[in-house]
Amino acid sequence: ERLAVLKKELVAKETAMAAEKENIEAKLTELEATQKAAEETVAVKTKELADKEKEVLEKQQDLTVKMAELEEKQKALADMAGKSKEVEEKEKDVVEKLKQLEAKEGELAAKSQALADREKELAQAKQDIEEKQKDADTKAEQQAAKDTEELGALREQVAGLQQE
């Protein structure tokens, strides 16, 4: 009887142990699945993190390039500002030279006007001389005609006297 009770207890313990073993195996399977899921999640997150790091590095490189470009642009602007001052100085020189040229142009215009006035005076003097020459020629012709007439008259008188 005691043996039968022990056997029952043993069977009950074996059954309980088998149930416990199945329960432990189920938990172990669940833990393995959880661990596998966690490993997959870690792998995905690690890949995402690596991608983010790569993206951040690319952005840093882009920023470095853009900073270099900005520095070049600033340098170019500074050079342009320096050249702008040079251009302003040259413009001042050009304006000064233009003023000098305008003054010389004014002087030349005055000289040109004086020359034109002198040409007018010379033309008037020439005209006056031509008119006086014409008058003198006319008087000379008249005098020559008069002299010729007188000479003719004298010849006639001489001829008359010779006949007498």
Side-chain angles (χ1 to χ4, degrees):
E1 208 176 286
R2 184 154 160 68
L3 190 57
V5 170
L6 282 174
K7 271 190 180 178
K8 279 185 187 178
E9 281 179 13
L10 183 62
V11 169
K13 280 189 180 180
E14 282 180 351
T15 305
M17 282 178 71
E20 179 94 13
K21 183 180 176 186
E22 281 179 27
N23 193 12
I24 288 173
E25 285 177 355
K27 283 185 180 179
L28 186 61
T29 303
E30 186 180 320
L31 281 173
E32 286 175 352
T34 302
Q35 182 180 358
K36 190 174 184 181
E39 286 173 355
E40 288 173 3
T41 302
V42 166
V44 167
K45 294 289 183 187
T46 302
K47 185 176 182 330
E48 287 176 1
L49 186 61
D51 290 345
K52 291 275 185 191
E53 283 179 2
K54 185 178 176 184
E55 198 175 303
V56 165
L57 283 174
E58 288 173 356
K59 285 182 180 177
Q60 279 180 336
Q61 288 173 345
D62 288 348
L63 284 175
T64 303
V65 168
K66 286 180 181 176
M67 288 289 286
E69 288 173 357
L70 281 174
E71 287 174 2
E72 285 296 318
K73 286 180 181 176
Q74 283 179 331
K75 188 176 179 182
L77 284 173
D79 289 347
M80 286 174 65
K83 287 180 182 176
S84 178
K85 287 182 181 178
E86 288 176 22
V87 167
E88 284 179 19
E89 289 299 319
K90 286 182 181 178
E91 281 179 355
K92 286 179 184 176
D93 290 345
V94 166
V95 167
E96 187 61 34
K97 287 180 181 175
L98 280 174
K99 286 179 182 177
Q100 292 172 358
L101 286 174
E102 286 173 354
K104 286 182 181 179
E105 189 177 326
E107 291 173 14
L108 286 175
K111 287 179 181 178
S112 178
Q113 184 61 44
L115 187 61
D117 292 345
R118 183 73 176 139
E119 284 177 353
K120 284 180 185 177
E121 289 173 10
L122 289 173
Q124 185 63 45
K126 183 180 177 184
Q127 189 176 357
D128 291 347
I129 290 170
E130 286 174 353
E131 285 176 10
K132 285 179 184 176
Q133 183 68 40
K134 200 176 190 183
D135 289 346
D137 287 347
T138 304
K139 284 181 182 177
E141 285 175 9
Q142 288 173 351
Q143 186 65 39
K146 189 177 175 185
D147 289 348
T148 304
E149 249 178 63
E150 287 177 6
L151 184 62
L154 284 175
R155 282 186 184 159
E156 284 177 18
Q157 284 178 357
V158 168
L161 287 174
Q162 283 177 348
Q163 283 178 353
E164 285 181 19

